[in-house]
Amino acid sequence: MSVADRIRDGDGTLAAVAGVAAVVLALLFAVSPFTVGLPGELSVFVEVGVLFGLYVILVLGLDLQYGHTGLVNFGHVVFFAVGAYTAAILAAQDSFAGTSLGYPWPLALVAGVLVAAVVGAVVGATSLRLRDDFLAIATLATAEIFHTVTVNFSGTFGGSTGIFGVPQPVAAVAGDFGKTMLATLVLFLGLAALTYAIVTRLTTAPYGRVLRAIRADELVTRSVGKSTFRYKMQAFVYGAALAGFAGGLFALYNGAVAPSFFTIQVTVTVWIGMLLGGASNHRAVIGGLAVIMGLRLFSRFANDLAPVTSGEFASLRLIVVGMILVLVIRYRPAGIWGDAEELGVDS
Amino acid sequence: MTLLDIVDLEKEFGGLLAVDDLSLSVDRGELVGVMGPNGAGKSTLFNCVSGVVEPTDGTVAFDGEDVTGEQPEVLARRGLVRTFQHTRQLGTMTVRENVRLAAPDQAGERTLPALTRSQGMQETERRVVERADELVEAFELDHLADEYASNLSGGQRKLLELARVLMLDPDLLLLDEPFAGVNPTLTNDIADRIRALNDEGMTVVVIEHELETLTALVDRLVVLTQGSVLVDGDPETVLEDERVVEAYLGE
Ligand SMILES: Nc1ncnc2c1ncn2[C@@H]1O[C@H](COP(=O)(O)OP(=O)(O)OP(=O)(O)O)[C@@H](O)[C@H]1O
Ligand SMILES: [Mg+2]
């Protein structure tokens, strides 16, 4: 094993330890008698931090699919949404819109992961054998269809109102708002670190070698005896399951789900984060995500100072993000921390 | 004993018969050369045999079993491995990784052993690493082991491809123009390696359209024209055959 292999591996172990520690700490803190007052100015940071934890789980799944295996998934949000809706419908109690079944939340969370994986398997089975670009279209279409379904089948999904009354386990034990937010932040960052550890372990093993070989040249990979379709299915389903997990966590944190939480904006953010940081390098994609989400956070403050309406400001922000992306593609086509040779792009 | 048996093989591409009613069989332990002018159907023959394209008609049997239209990965695992005329390397992976990838039966290529890093998986990986390093060294690529394959020269790519397929320890090795774009010294070197592999018992079929290299190397020569076998015999006889002379002069 080369030195590089060992460092990469150690990295995963470190993240696993940190992840477990964070999860334990968060739970201990939540049940402890301590209270914290979260000042208003800080709460926006914590809120974005909580979302960041979930988005890290999303981007790691996408990096497994695209960064390693070369699968273009333009509908990542659908798996996030499926996980969230599944968890919400199963666990919610007495939601005034949609269906709420009132099952225990751990069951709902597991179901969210499984249903997202099944949706991933169905999409993968129907399009992974076809031409490469077909997956891009199929995933985009799936996301669109699911969005329409949630809006229109209000008996089940609650229409544009969504589903309320989803249990919030962290809030239930922590009590006050500040404490809940802090515990959730640490918990989600811990879970994100654990996800990083698992994904890293997988991709530094010979398993990851096969995935990268598929991205490089599928025919060569097949002609040395690897069943590439099976690997593509697995990578796709694992990514979907991770997104489903993030979705379930989101529902149980937010206490409600609605179509407006699951727009194409989610897919765009994780894609930009991944490309900005550097696909196929797990640390780089997280870095890229931090940049793009940091920018959004910064712009919230900037908006207060700028003499424009928030609508105008949102479009300005899009322009800035677009320009940053153009600059990165122009000068660092493999992303800020990406390796151009590993990605096969000319810089 | 017949290892590869091709009967009445046919492959049509939109009205063009690239392989036309071709029959050929290769015995275990043979070293066979396949030659023929451009467009004779040599690569298409390999593509049909190795499962890269599905033949329009005819059968391919490998080791006594009908494998017509079987997937390339299944054939590779059974011991039928091929290289490509236009070398295909995994450009975004290092030379080392290119070779390691090809090792068969790696526990670490399955999700659970990859995650648990079981004793068995680590043991296999150690052996894979060792064997890959041996091959990389044998093909004098060790100074490039950590280089991305896309940075290799044409000749080095041919060597890498050979190292990679040997990782599979095939029973039947199909080489599509392993000397193309390779300098004369390296050509001799590769020819020696092919002969050595054959001496150790590997059955090898080599495509080449340079006469000289091939006749010196193989025990048996098959000449294809327009998708079917023109002559099949030992190199001396084949080279004296009028039809061969004609086919080559007519080029
Ligand atoms: N995928 C394909 N689609 C259409 N036509 C093809 C395809 N592959 C090969 N052909 C055609 O089939 C014929 C035989 O091609 P093939 O590549 O097998 O020849 P070859 O003997 O390997 O020639 P060369 O010496 O140039 O490599 C050619 O006319 C070629 O254009
Ligand atoms: Mg050819």
Side-chain angles (χ1 to χ4, degrees):
Chain A
M1 205 179 275
S2 73
V3 179
D5 288 347
R6 229 173 296 146
I7 289 173
R8 278 182 144 183
D9 202 26
D11 196 9
T13 314
L14 188 71
V17 173
V20 170
V23 170
V24 170
L25 189 75
L27 297 180
L28 285 180
F29 173 64
V31 298
S32 72
F34 302 114
T35 52
V36 277
L38 194 59
E41 311 86 67
L42 268 184
S43 78
V44 57
F45 285 96
V46 176
E47 245 171 67
V48 172
V50 166
L51 274 187
F52 177 71
L54 296 178
Y55 274 60
V56 166
I57 300 176
L58 289 180
V59 83
L60 287 173
L62 188 64
D63 196 38
L64 201 59
Q65 298 173 337
Y66 175 77
H68 285 263
T69 323
L71 307 175
V72 178
N73 170 7
F74 279 156
H76 207 40
V77 65
V78 75
F79 306 106
F80 184 54
V82 164
Y85 269 97
T86 306
I89 290 171
L90 287 176
Q93 284 167 345
D94 312 320
S95 171
F96 49 84
T99 307
S100 40
L101 300 172
Y103 286 111
W105 67 264
L107 190 82
L109 183 59
V110 171
V113 175
L114 292 181
V115 175
V118 168
V119 173
V122 171
V123 174
T126 50
S127 46
L128 281 176
R129 274 194 207 277
L130 305 173
R131 273 202 351 241
D132 283 353
D133 41 2
F134 204 83
L135 182 67
I137 299 165
T139 47
L140 197 60
T142 309
E144 210 37 53
I145 291 167
F146 188 75
H147 191 79
T148 315
V149 166
T150 52
V151 173
N152 291 303
F153 286 71
S154 36
T156 310
F157 297 98
S160 47
T161 322
I163 292 165
F164 285 78
V166 183
Q168 294 167 284
V170 178
V173 287
D176 73 276
F177 174 75
K179 196 173 161 190
T180 302
M181 287 305 288
L182 270 184
T184 307
L185 176 69
V186 178
L187 177 67
F188 283 10
L189 291 180
L191 292 173
L194 278 176
T195 307
Y196 172 86
I198 292 171
V199 171
T200 301
R201 216 169 156 80
L202 198 58
T203 54
T204 51
Y207 189 90
R209 192 157 62 209
V210 180
L211 298 188
R212 290 190 295 280
I214 292 173
R215 189 193 59 197
D217 190 329
E218 186 173 352
L219 183 56
V220 169
T221 314
R222 294 179 69 192
S223 45
V224 294
K226 314 297 173 197
S227 302
T228 56
F229 177 71
R230 206 184 71 204
Y231 283 95
K232 292 202 289 186
M233 271 297 275
Q234 286 180 356
F236 194 69
V237 168
Y238 295 163
L242 282 177
F245 180 57
L249 291 177
F250 175 78
L252 295 171
Y253 148 72
N254 199 44
V257 295
S260 58
F261 293 121
F262 308 106
T263 62
I264 194 167
Q265 183 69 43
V266 177
T267 304
V268 171
T269 303
V270 281
W271 265 95
I272 293 182
M274 177 177 68
L275 297 178
L276 203 61
S280 102
N281 176 334
H282 300 313
R283 250 181 304 175
V285 299
I286 296 173
L289 193 65
V291 170
I292 188 78
M293 292 185 77
L295 197 72
R296 187 174 304 166
L297 183 62
F298 165 77
S299 69
R300 275 204 213 180
F301 293 102
N303 192 8
D304 296 339
L305 306 172
V308 291
T309 67
S310 59
E312 286 166 339
F313 194 84
S315 1
L316 282 180
R317 190 172 63 193
L318 267 184
I319 294 172
V320 172
V321 168
M323 281 187 336
I324 291 178
L325 205 58
V326 168
L327 286 179
V328 168
I329 289 168
R330 174 71 186 77
Y331 295 103
R332 303 251 345 140
I336 303 173
W337 299 279
D339 183 330
E341 292 189 298
E342 195 177 323
L343 271 179
V345 292
D346 292 320
S347 52
Chain B
M1 202 192 115
T2 310
L3 183 59
L4 178 68
D5 197 18
I6 303 164
V7 181
D8 297 338
L9 194 72
E10 187 182 299
K11 178 66 198 179
E12 189 184 330
F13 291 113
L16 178 119
L17 272 179
V19 172
D20 185 5
D21 209 18
L22 186 153
S23 298
L24 178 68
S25 77
V26 176
D27 284 348
R28 207 175 262 283
E30 269 194 300
L31 176 47
V32 180
V34 174
M35 54 179 236
N38 289 109
K42 306 180 296 290
S43 298
T44 307
L45 168 65
F46 271 21
N47 285 342
C48 288
V49 170
S50 63
V52 172
V53 302
E54 186 147 359
T56 321
D57 204 1
T59 57
V60 177
F62 176 65
D63 206 6
E65 273 179 70
D66 186 354
V67 294
T68 321
E70 190 55 277
Q71 300 297 310
E73 58 269 31
V74 175
L75 291 169
R77 287 199 291 264
R78 286 211 197 161
L80 190 164
V81 179
R82 57 91 49 96
T83 64
F84 294 90
Q85 175 173 0
H86 304 285
T87 349
R88 302 179 75 128
Q89 75 289 349
L90 303 162
T92 52
M93 292 164 70
T94 63
V95 166
R96 228 191 265 285
E97 278 194 305
N98 262 268
V99 180
R100 287 179 190 172
L101 170 79
D105 305 321
Q106 299 188 57
E109 287 182 350
R110 280 176 287 122
T111 309
L112 280 181
L115 288 177
T116 58
R117 303 270 157 114
S118 63
Q119 207 63 48
M121 175 262 168
Q122 295 198 25
E123 186 50 45
T124 315
E125 180 68 355
R126 251 194 301 280
R127 262 185 286 123
V128 169
V129 165
E130 210 172 286
R131 173 88 181 115
D133 285 351
E134 271 171 33
L135 280 169
V136 166
E137 205 184 307
F139 282 89
E140 286 160 39
L141 291 168
D142 34 341
H143 62 295
L144 297 166
D146 291 314
E147 193 62 67
Y148 285 98
S150 56
N151 296 337
L152 300 190
S153 71
Q156 289 163 343
R157 289 177 189 199
K158 291 277 177 196
L159 291 175
L160 172 60
E161 200 167 20
L162 275 175
R164 190 171 62 215
V165 292
L166 290 184
M167 198 71 190
L168 284 148
D169 203 8
D171 295 321
L172 174 62
L173 183 56
L174 307 176
L175 302 171
D176 196 345
E177 304 205 9
F179 310 114
V182 172
N183 68 48
T185 332
L186 198 53
T187 297
N188 287 332
D189 187 30
I190 295 179
D192 289 343
R193 289 171 195 283
I194 294 174
R195 202 175 296 114
L197 288 169
N198 180 246
D199 288 343
E200 286 163 24
M202 196 180 288
T203 312
V204 186
V205 181
V206 191
I207 290 181
E208 183 55 49
H209 60 195
E210 290 284 327
L211 284 169
E212 296 76 14
T213 331
L214 204 53
T215 42
L217 175 66
V218 300
D219 315 326
R220 178 180 153 206
L221 202 53
V222 177
V223 182
L224 299 189
T225 50
Q226 293 170 11
S228 32
V229 177
L230 182 70
V231 232
D232 180 347
D234 60 84
E236 293 79 43
T237 332
V238 167
L239 286 185
E240 280 160 16
D241 197 294
E242 300 240 325
R243 293 167 296 175
V244 176
V245 178
E246 218 167 275
Y248 267 78
L249 285 179
E251 215 182 356

